[in-house]
Amino acid sequence: MHILGISAFYHDSAACLIADGQIIAAAQEERFTREKHDARFPQSAIEYCLNAGGKKLDQIDYVVFYDKPFLKFERLLETYIAFAPRGFQSFLTAMPVWLKEKLFQKILLRDELTKLGAGPNIESRLLFAEHHQSHAASAFFASPFEEAVVLTMDGVGEWTTTSVAIGCENRLETTKEIHFPHSIGLLYSAFTYYLGFKVNSGEYKVMGLAPYGEAKYTDVILDKLIDLKADGTFRLDMQYFNYCTGLKMTGKKFYKLFGDLPRKPGQPLTQKHMDIAASIQWVTEEIVLRLTRALSSETGSKNLCLAGGVALNCVANGRILRDGKFDKIWIQPAAGDAGGAVGAALAAYYTHLDKPRRTNGKDAMSGAYLGPSYNNSEIEQQLSSAGACFEKLNDSDLITATVDALAAGKAVGWFQGRMEFGPRALGARSILGDPRNPAMQKTLNLKVKYRESFRPFAPAVLREDMADWFELDCDSPYMLFVANVAQNKRRKMTKEELALFGIDKLNVPRSEIPAVTHVDYSARIQSVDRETNPRFHELLSAFKARTDCPVLVNTSFNIRGEPIVCSPEDAFRCFMGSEIELLVIENYILYKEKQDTRLKINYSTTLKPD
C-alpha cells in the first residue's frame, strides 16, 4: 500500500511517500526550487519521493492533501461577516485568489497530478485530511509510543489553532480544540511582526533575541492581550490585533499599548525590543506549561507528542521537559506545515484505512534523513560542471582532514547522505565549526550566514557524552530541546560582565564552548548516536580524540534568505558565496584556496530577508 502525502498552497509545500505505513521519503519543495518557504504545488518533491520509492504516480494507491480548503473558505467568509464592515479591504484582496485557485483545489490537484502521470481515476484516489489532524498524525503515528496525548499548536488550520488528541495504537481521537482567531501561534507572530521580523519565518529570531532582554511586559500581555486560564485555555482581545480585518498582524491600539510603531526591518534593535521579545517568550512558555500540566492531570498519560509550528519553540519544549509531568516527550522534527504531508499520509493509512500499527521503541522518521542523496558519479558531474577543483579521499583521510580544518578554526561545509526533512540541519547538510572558539559565533553569523550577530548556534554532541556537557540526559536527535550547559563547563563571570545589558552580553565567553552557549547559558542540543548517523558520529569522535571536546557547532548549510542546500551544485555555490573555507561532499573535499577565484559569488546584492 503506497500513499503520497502533500502539503501545498499556503507555505512550506512538501511531499511524503509511505509504503505499508513506513516513511520512505519526504522533502520540501523549497530545496529543489531554491525559493524559501515555496508554497507552490510540490512537483519536484513529489518526483523525488516517487523516484525514491521506485513508483510511478499511477501506482500510488492514495494521494492525501493535508487540509480541507472548503473549511478554510468557510472561516474566511464567517470572519468577514463577524467583523464587517471592517476587513473589507483584506476580504477583497483574498477573494480573487480563493475563487481562482484555492476554492477549487481538488480540480487544481487533479490537473497537477495528471501532468505528473496520474491516471484518469486520480480523483477517486484523492483524500483530504484536516490541518490539525495532519499535525497530530505526524506527531503520534511517527512517534515511538503505543499511546500518548497529542498537543498541536500553530497559527491556524481551517478553524483550529490548538488541538488535543488521544493516540492509542492506530487510533487518534481529537478531544479538545481552540478555534480562530484565538491562537498562540498568531499571538507570537503578531510580536514577530511588531519586532520587525518576517511572519512565518522570523519567529525563531524572537526566541533567539529573548535572552538578551528582561520580561518586563508580561503583565501587560496577560492583562490586556490574552485571558489565560489555569488549564492553559485562552482568548485574545481582538481589539489589539489586525489579522482578522486587515493586512497586518497588529493595529493602532497594540502600538499605543507598547508606546511605539512596529520596528522596520533593518532598524537597530533596542533594549526595549529585547524586553518585549523576552516577555512574549515567557508568556508563550506559560501558556504551553499550563496546557501540558492540565493534560497530564486529566489524562494520566506519561507520553506527550507535539506538532504544529509552536512545537518548534525549543525553549518552551525544554521547559515542558524539565517540568517533569511527562516521562517521555516526542516532537515531530518537521513540526510546521511541511510535516503535514507526513501526517496526511499516515492519517490515511491508519485512520482512514484502519491498518494495524506496530512500534519497536524507535520513531519512524529515520533521524529525519528522508531527502535525496547523491552517488559519486552525480557528485563528480555536478562539481565538474560548476568548475570546482576537488579531490577524493578515503574515509580515514577525509575525517582527519576535516578535523584538521575544524581544529584550525575554519568553517566547514558538511554534505553527507540523505538530506534532512524539516527546518533543522542535523549533520547531513550542515556548516560546522569549533565550539571552543570565542569568535566562531560572530564569524559564522556575519561572514558565513550574513545574518544578525545575536543569532545563536546549536551544538551537536556525542549522545554518550551529552550529560557531561549539558543539563540534559534524554535523546535530542532533532535539535528540539533547549537545556543549559553543565555547571562545571561554565566560566565564572566578572562583576563588570554580569552588569552588561542587551547585545553587549554577546561577546562575553560563558563556558568552555562559548560558540554554542547562549547568553543565558542555554543551548539547543542535537544528540548524535552511532546508529542514526554513523559518519557524523565518527567525525565528532575524531574531534573529541583530538581536542577532548565531543561537541561541534552545527548550523544549516545555507546563507540568509535561501533554503538549506540540497545538491552538490547548491553546496558548491554556497561555498563560493560565503567564507566557508572547506567543503566536504561525501568523500570529496574542496579547499577554498584551490578554487578559481572567478567563480566567487557576491551575495551582498542578492540576499533576501529571512
Side-chain angles (χ1 to χ4, degrees):
M1 175 70 69
H2 287 79
I3 299 176
L4 180 70
I6 296 174
S7 67
F9 305 132
Y10 295 95
H11 54 90
D12 296 317
S13 292
C16 170
L17 179 67
I18 69 171
D20 297 328
Q22 180 184 356
I23 302 170
I24 302 299
Q28 281 184 236
E29 186 70 3
E30 67 166 22
R31 305 295 175 85
F32 304 96
T33 64
R34 312 308 302 152
E35 182 177 319
K36 197 165 186 178
H37 303 301
D38 197 338
R40 293 171 293 183
F41 179 78
Q43 175 181 331
S44 298
I46 290 171
E47 290 175 337
Y48 155 68
C49 289
L50 293 174
N51 288 334
K55 293 290 178 183
K56 296 182 179 179
L57 196 50
D58 60 7
Q59 297 174 302
I60 300 300
D61 295 282
Y62 291 96
V63 178
V64 194
F65 193 67
Y66 82 126
D67 70 7
K68 294 188 174 181
F70 276 107
L71 288 179
K72 283 196 171 183
F73 187 65
E74 175 187 87
R75 168 168 56 83
L76 179 72
L77 289 176
E78 291 196 20
T79 300
Y80 170 65
I81 292 169
F83 287 90
R86 289 185 298 141
F88 186 63
Q89 185 60 47
S90 63
F91 180 78
L92 284 180
T93 302
M95 192 54 58
V97 179
W98 272 94
L99 293 178
K100 184 180 178 182
E101 297 176 4
K102 295 184 178 182
L103 190 57
F104 303 102
Q105 258 169 30
K106 187 172 185 179
I107 296 172
L108 179 60
L109 287 167
R110 179 200 66 192
D111 293 345
E112 292 289 352
L113 291 167
T114 300
K115 292 177 189 176
L116 290 176
N121 67 337
I122 185 60
E123 281 193 65
S124 66
R125 293 181 285 132
L126 189 56
L127 303 174
F128 291 82
E130 288 195 22
H131 188 95
H132 274 256
Q133 179 190 21
S134 296
H135 277 322
S138 78
F140 177 64
F141 292 136
S143 80
F145 307 140
E146 291 188 3
E147 68 81 25
V149 60
V150 185
L151 176 62
T152 68
M153 303 166 288
D154 66 2
V156 60
E158 294 88 2
W159 277 105
T160 305
T161 66
T162 303
S163 79
V164 175
I166 303 299
C168 183
E169 297 178 347
N170 71 339
R171 299 184 302 281
L172 190 60
E173 180 183 356
T174 301
T175 59
K176 292 183 179 180
E177 292 181 340
I178 296 174
H179 287 174
F180 181 86
H182 310 291
S183 166
I184 310 173
L186 291 175
L187 173 66
Y188 205 89
S189 291
F191 280 88
T192 300
Y193 169 81
Y194 184 71
L195 291 171
F197 303 126
K198 195 174 179 180
V199 172
N200 290 329
S201 176
E203 283 77 6
Y204 57 92
K205 295 186 186 182
V206 178
M207 183 177 68
L209 188 64
Y212 294 97
E214 296 180 30
K216 295 179 177 179
Y217 297 93
T218 55
D219 288 345
V220 173
I221 296 170
L222 291 172
D223 290 345
K224 299 293 186 180
L225 301 185
I226 183 169
D227 178 15
L228 178 61
K229 304 301 185 185
D231 64 355
T233 57
F234 58 90
R235 290 182 66 83
L236 302 183
D237 186 338
M238 297 311 299
Q239 297 179 83
Y240 294 91
F241 302 95
N242 205 32
Y243 55 79
C244 284
T245 60
L247 302 175
K248 299 177 181 178
M249 295 298 298
T250 51
K252 292 180 181 178
K253 195 165 184 179
F254 189 101
Y255 311 150
K256 187 177 180 180
L257 184 65
F258 289 99
D260 293 293
L261 291 172
R263 170 182 167 265
K264 293 181 180 179
Q267 284 184 335
L269 285 161
T270 66
Q271 186 61 51
K272 183 175 181 180
H273 293 132
M274 298 171 203
D275 293 341
I276 290 174
S279 301
I280 188 56
Q281 177 63 34
W282 187 93
V283 169
T284 300
E285 293 170 26
E286 183 66 18
I287 296 168
V288 173
L289 280 172
R290 290 192 190 187
L291 283 168
T292 53
R293 286 168 180 168
L295 291 177
S296 172
S297 176
E298 291 167 11
T299 67
S301 177
K302 295 300 181 184
N303 300 321
L304 173 67
C305 295
L306 298 173
V310 177
L312 292 172
N313 192 309
C314 48
V315 179
N317 297 340
R319 289 282 305 277
I320 299 170
L321 186 67
R322 292 191 297 276
D323 197 47
K325 295 297 186 290
F326 293 90
D327 292 345
K328 294 182 180 179
I329 301 171
W330 192 83
I331 305 161
Q332 167 56 242
D337 276 11
V342 173
L346 292 174
Y349 186 77
Y350 291 115
T351 304
H352 181 71
L353 299 172
D354 196 28
K355 296 292 185 181
R357 177 172 176 260
R358 299 177 183 86
T359 56
N360 61 2
K362 298 179 182 178
D363 70 51
M365 291 297 291
S366 301
Y369 306 116
L370 296 167
S373 63
Y374 295 83
N375 61 36
N376 287 346
S377 62
E378 291 171 323
I379 294 168
E380 291 188 12
Q381 186 276 321
Q382 290 195 25
L383 291 180
S384 296
S385 295
C389 176
F390 57 92
E391 56 189 284
K392 188 177 182 183
L393 302 180
N394 62 38
D395 289 354
S396 177
D397 290 345
L398 184 85
I399 295 295
T400 299
T402 306
V403 171
D404 286 344
L406 290 165
K410 295 181 178 180
V412 174
W414 181 254
F415 183 114
Q416 302 289 326
R418 297 184 70 177
M419 181 180 68
E420 303 93 338
F421 181 58
R424 307 286 183 235
L426 301 169
R429 304 289 187 274
S430 292
I431 298 172
L432 307 177
D434 184 347
R436 303 169 303 155
N437 185 339
M440 185 57 67
Q441 181 190 8
K442 181 175 280 190
T443 297
L444 288 176
N445 269 327
L446 300 181
K447 293 186 177 181
V448 175
K449 305 282 281 190
Y450 302 116
R451 67 186 196 182
E452 300 94 339
S453 63
F454 71 83
R455 303 264 287 273
F457 288 104
V461 57
L462 291 172
R463 175 64 181 91
E464 55 268 32
D465 292 319
M466 184 170 65
D468 294 332
W469 287 78
F470 303 98
E471 294 178 352
L472 182 70
D473 194 16
C474 66
D475 292 337
S476 182
Y478 301 123
M479 214 182 276
L480 286 169
F481 291 113
V482 162
N484 286 339
V485 173
Q487 287 282 353
N488 65 336
K489 304 297 181 185
R490 299 184 194 180
R491 172 184 167 271
K492 189 174 182 180
M493 308 283 284
T494 66
K495 288 183 179 179
E496 292 76 14
E497 290 169 341
L498 289 170
L500 294 173
F501 284 91
I503 294 294
D504 291 337
K505 299 177 181 180
L506 178 64
N507 298 321
V508 179
R510 294 170 181 273
S511 75
E512 294 180 26
I513 44 174
V516 294
T517 304
H518 209 7
V519 294
D520 57 357
Y521 292 104
S522 68
R524 187 183 72 205
I525 299 159
Q526 179 198 3
S527 59
V528 180
D529 66 76
R530 181 177 284 106
E531 183 178 356
T532 306
N533 194 331
R535 178 162 278 196
F536 197 31
H537 188 278
E538 183 183 4
L539 178 66
L540 281 159
S541 298
F543 187 76
K544 177 188 176 184
R546 178 81 64 88
T547 65
D548 290 328
C549 177
V551 182
L552 286 172
V553 178
N554 179 13
T555 188
S556 56
F557 197 158
N558 64 327
I559 63 162
R560 190 189 83 205
E562 76 167 13
I564 297 173
V565 301
C566 176
S567 68
E569 181 183 6
D570 298 335
F572 181 70
R573 188 185 305 114
C574 188
F575 174 58
M576 294 304 294
S578 69
E579 298 303 311
I580 297 172
E581 293 152 287
L582 184 75
L583 174 58
V584 182
I585 302 180
E586 301 295 348
N587 280 74
Y588 296 88
I589 195 162
L590 296 84
Y591 295 90
K592 178 63 70 66
E593 62 270 21
K594 294 183 180 181
Q595 306 307 312
D596 186 341
T597 55
R598 292 172 297 180
L599 298 175
K600 186 170 177 58
I601 299 170
N602 182 4
Y603 273 124
S604 62
T605 58
T606 60
L607 288 172
K608 298 178 181 179
D610 62 346

